[in-house]
Amino acid sequence: MTELLVVLVTGFLVIAAATVVGPRLGVAAPLVLVVLGVAASLLPMFASAHIEPEWILEGVLPPLLYSAAVSMPAMNFRREFGAISGLSVLLVVGSSLVLGLFFALVLPGLGFAWGVALGAIVSRPTP
């Protein structure tokens, strides 16, 4: 239990430090965290560390998306709504078609239509 507390406190301190250091360097704080994470992954003491993907998808990603959504000015969103919605639709349709072609080629007897259906399931944006 003590080890978990040490990890959590260290994590919060690293996040706070990245929030302070990021703007001083002229980069976003999440980018600083990514660089620190990549650097930490190269250290031998973190070689055996394993985090379940569900923890990231259910515990880390929603607060990050919420904070980004709250901090985005509404005027910028309205101004860029056409580009955001167009790209989101085009990228989902495009990735569904590309994955459909991939599945049709890799899985014998599947067919392109079923491959596109499977690609649409896989490439949908997460709610």
Side-chain angles (χ1 to χ4, degrees), residues 10 24 44 53 76-77 81 90 95 99 102 123:
T10 304
R24 290 185 183 176
N76 289 350
F77 180 74
F81 182 75
L90 286 175
S95 62
L99 284 171
F102 172 76
S123 68

Side-chain angles (χ1 to χ4, degrees), residues 9-95:
V9 169
T10 304
F12 287 138
L13 288 174
V14 169
I15 291 170
T19 304
V20 171
V21 171
R24 290 185 183 176
L25 295 176
V27 296
L31 184 60
V32 174
L33 291 173
V34 168
V35 170
L36 287 174
V38 169
S41 71
L42 299 175
L43 297 175
M45 70 175 114
F46 295 114
S48 64
H50 176 72
I51 299 174
E52 294 294 326
E54 289 82 17
W55 287 22
I56 302 299
L57 289 175
E58 296 172 5
V60 175
L61 193 58
L64 286 176
L65 291 175
Y66 178 76
S67 68
V70 169
S71 66
M72 181 178 183
M75 187 59 102
N76 289 350
F77 180 74
R78 279 189 229 128
R79 185 177 60 235
E80 301 295 334
F81 182 75
I84 292 170
S85 59
L87 284 173
S88 64
V89 170
L90 286 175
L91 290 175
V92 170
V93 169
S95 62

